[in-house]
Amino acid sequence: MKNFLSRLLIMLIAFPLLFLFIFILDFAHHLLFNLIVVGVSFLGAFEVSRMFRAKGIPTLQILAPLFAATLPLYTFLSELIPALNGLFGLWLAVIFSVIFFSAVFVKDEAALRSRLQVVSSSVFIVFYPAFFLMFITGMTTHRHPAFVLLFFCLPVFLNDIAAYCFGMLAHGKTRLNLPASPNKTLIGFIAGFLTSIGTYVALSFLLREYYICLLYTSPSPRDRTRSRMPSSA
């Protein structure tokens, strides 16, 4: 019951906030929404760093999450500052250089072995989950960003709600016993999957006039012709 009330509270708070940031506080290319994504990137990367350190794996505890937060930030700023376009590869080179050089300046071989762990764990932290969140900041550059964000976010929320509710109704009888999610049930998984598909189909029908295409993430000259192809095509 406690978990149910927690999820219900999150739903009652998350949905209004999602609507607020997507449809009302949409000024300056959804500035507030993008700042939240940047903050979530940092917090998510910091949590991954904390998990590594709890397992005895050393990391760049603060620097790696800070670098991670710059990935979605770059996606957002590159739309506001055209001079930044095409410099993402250079910025990644800077990030990796700082991380790799951190393994060089050590006093002995034993220290070098631990620094190599720092490099591998920190590179992972930079990419997960921030690299995937770059896709969300890229959605705000669509010609109809509010509807694209709704198309992406709503099925995710409904998937989680359906999986939890149907799994709870099944009383754990089809529990999958997965290490990553011990309470996950087969019924809940199927319900969440079908809910996501159904939501996408419904939104595709309701929003068809807005030419929603999740592959489209950045403006291009094709905007003038209302092309639905991604700018990288």
Side-chain angles (χ1 to χ4, degrees), residues 211-223:
Y211 298 96
I212 300 300
C213 175
L214 290 183
L215 292 177
Y216 185 102
T217 58
S218 60
S220 76
R222 279 185 288 272
D223 286 354

Side-chain angles (χ1 to χ4, degrees), residues 57-59 103 106 109-121:
I57 302 174
T59 67
V106 293
E109 185 177 349
L112 177 62
R113 193 174 297 112
S114 66
R115 298 308 293 176
L116 291 177
Q117 286 185 311
V118 170
V119 170
S120 58
S121 63

Side-chain angles (χ1 to χ4, degrees), residues 14-41 72-73 76 132-141 145-154 157:
F15 276 122
L17 286 179
L18 181 66
F19 181 87
L20 178 67
F21 284 114
I22 290 179
F23 289 100
I24 299 178
L25 302 178
D26 59 349
F27 55 88
H29 299 279
H30 288 82
L31 175 62
L32 291 179
F33 181 85
N34 280 292
L35 290 178
I36 291 174
V37 173
V38 171
V40 169
S41 298
L73 180 62
F76 176 66
F132 302 100
L133 291 175
M134 288 177 60
F135 188 62
I136 297 179
T137 55
M139 290 178 188
T140 61
T141 67
F147 293 107
V148 175
L149 291 171
L150 179 67
F151 193 90
F152 178 81
C153 295
L154 186 60
F157 278 106

Side-chain angles (χ1 to χ4, degrees), residues 157-177:
F157 278 106
L158 295 182
N159 175 291
D160 182 71
I161 293 171
Y164 180 81
C165 290
F166 279 87
M168 183 178 63
L169 291 175
H171 301 291
K173 293 180 180 179
T174 58
R175 188 168 296 171
L176 298 174
N177 294 317

